[in-house]
Amino acid sequence: MGEATVKLKTIELDGNSLTRQDIQRIVDGEATVSISGNSWKRVRESRKRIEKKLTEGATIYGVNTGFGKLSDVKIEDEDIELLQLNLLRADAVGVGQPLSKEIVRAMMILRTNALAKGFSGICEDTLQLLVELINNKIHPVVPSQGSVGASGDLAPLAHIALVLIGEGKAEYEGEIITGREALAKVGLQPVRLKAKEGLALINGTQAMTGIGVITLNEAERIGYAADMAACLTMEALQGIISAFDPELLAVRPHKELEFVASRMRGWLEGSKRVTKQGEVRMQDAYSIRCIPQVHGASWQTFSYVEERLLTEMNATTDNPIVLENGEVISGGHFHGQPIALAMDFLKVSVSEWANISERRTERLVNPALSGLSPFLATDPGLECGLMVLQYVAASIVSENKVLAHPASVDSIPTSGNQEDHVSMGTTAARQVHQIVHNAARVIAIELIAASQAIYLEKIEDQLAPGTRAYLEKVREICPPLTADKAISEETEALAKFLLQSNDLL
């Protein structure tokens, strides 16, 4: 007998209630998507308003005019459909390495949700084909570079839209083929775009938001991993738990400080290795004593970014907007500034998780600070131990400092100075994605160092049940060193585990 078919959950898109957790489930193939009945009604009504305006002879930006600096050029009725086709072809000029399948899927989900709000004038068959791409796991090949983050993420979204008309490239079941071939593989036909549809498909912030959502989900896992790594370091170094006292933290009532401290107190419950003030030393260094303040401040940023992304996930971000009163008005909802600033803020906060983690690694490997075997080597001098692994962490945190420079302050004019201020939000999102992956490596290095210290000191039986259980997971990927060996692959594997694992959430 064959294996039973697993029935996937269907997440209904209505333009208003999508969450980052929904997106992750769809991206991971754990759910399919559909459009709500009320949204289909709104989509049909929006389309009728566009067609009514055209029948009345109205001039509408991007429908029967050129684009950007060419917005005053009138387009003849017989060329309206060709205008939309030309737009996609002209804008699909991105360069660089392709975005991951996960990010492309997030972009398609977000664009579908935005169009489902019913303010874009899209046709039903075009929107349904976008749904089919998601559900059939057809992934347009989208180059990562080329968006300035205003006028929408034009280049990235155009590469997705090309597949809808049977052009461009797509990945299907591991093979890169033409858009037309990908559609044919699952029995689908390309659409023929009508007035405004090309613009409706590409004028939005879904590249920066898609990268942002996937990255925020990874950052959440990394933030928890940073807290756990700090716990194991505290046990290795007999850290002072008194600094995490709830009454102490209450006098500075930033709630995220107590969130971090409470979580760590829970994980350290039952530990025989943590100490109280004055038992071993009066105070710990800042990288241990100030964990609630530093980690907590990064969690404050996390909450702000989550709020901004949640709003943007359920927003209409194209131009012009087809209002319910029948007016079609040009505005600036495509401008990525709200997400650009949020991504820049997240860059800084995740960099700080890595910065303080590297300092804790230094305290573990430096014998003048730890009292442990120099560089956690089993035979110091003959062996270097983790000396150079700390170099790696130092290199990465310094790289993050460059990437954390705000992209949003670097506007540059486009389209003949018609589009004279842009957000660079997609650049910021790409940078924070790299920073999160870099931070995962730095925190993995701290976990390796703490694990090695615990191994050398033979104190496993003194750990808290919570930290000991997690240490076992770490050691499945990167066992303690009994002699010098290259552990690049193990370090990378542990970082990947931290990015993907929901064990601590």
Side-chain angles (χ1 to χ4, degrees), residues 248-452:
L248 169 68
L249 294 174
V251 304
R252 192 185 188 189
H254 296 283
K255 62 181 184 295
E256 292 83 2
L257 275 64
E258 173 58 18
F259 288 168
V260 170
S262 174
R263 182 156 54 239
M264 292 180 64
R265 289 195 306 267
W267 286 336
L268 290 167
E269 182 69 33
S271 175
K272 297 180 176 63
R273 287 291 298 178
V274 293
T275 62
K276 294 184 179 180
Q277 179 177 296
E279 287 182 346
V280 175
R281 68 189 73 87
M282 186 57 64
Q283 293 183 337
D284 279 325
Y286 288 2
S287 59
I288 294 174
R289 194 187 346 154
C290 301
I291 290 167
Q293 291 77 15
V294 177
H295 287 205
S298 290
W299 281 112
Q300 289 175 338
T301 303
F302 181 95
S303 299
Y304 170 79
V305 175
E306 182 177 40
E307 181 184 352
R308 298 278 64 77
L309 284 172
L310 183 61
T311 298
E312 195 79 350
M313 280 181 234
N314 294 288
T316 299
T317 55
D318 55 310
N319 179 60
I321 302 296
V322 184
L323 297 176
E324 292 178 330
N325 63 10
E327 292 297 314
V328 183
I329 299 178
S330 288
H333 285 330
F334 51 74
H335 201 294
Q337 196 75 358
I339 301 304
L341 294 176
M343 293 296 98
D344 278 340
F345 200 4
L346 188 62
K347 282 158 54 176
V348 174
S349 63
V350 175
S351 294
E352 282 303 288
W353 276 329
N355 282 347
I356 196 170
S357 173
E358 184 276 330
R359 289 292 80 199
R360 290 193 295 266
T361 296
E362 167 66 8
R363 301 202 76 79
L364 287 162
V365 302
N366 187 334
L369 301 175
S370 69
L372 304 175
S373 173
F375 307 106
L376 302 176
T378 56
D379 189 355
L382 180 62
E383 296 174 1
C384 292
L386 301 183
M387 180 191 295
V388 179
L389 197 61
Q390 185 267 328
Y391 296 10
V392 175
S395 169
I396 292 171
V397 297
S398 289
E399 179 182 320
N400 278 353
K401 292 167 190 174
V402 176
L403 291 170
H405 179 85
S408 56
V409 300
D410 191 27
S411 177
I412 190 168
T414 57
S415 193
N417 230 28
Q418 172 75 0
E419 299 163 2
D420 56 356
H421 182 279
V422 297
S423 75
M424 294 299 177
T426 311
T427 299
R430 288 172 47 234
Q431 289 172 328
V432 75
H433 186 70
Q434 182 63 58
I435 284 172
V436 168
H437 283 238
N438 283 349
R441 296 177 177 106
V442 174
I443 293 163
I445 288 170
E446 182 185 356
L447 285 166
I448 291 169
S451 170
Q452 183 70 5

Side-chain angles (χ1 to χ4, degrees), residues 220-241:
E220 182 178 35
R221 300 179 193 115
I222 293 308
Y224 276 83
D227 293 348
M228 175 57 80
C231 286
L232 285 164
T233 295
M234 285 186 68
E235 290 188 294
L237 297 177
Q238 294 185 290
I240 301 169
I241 196 72

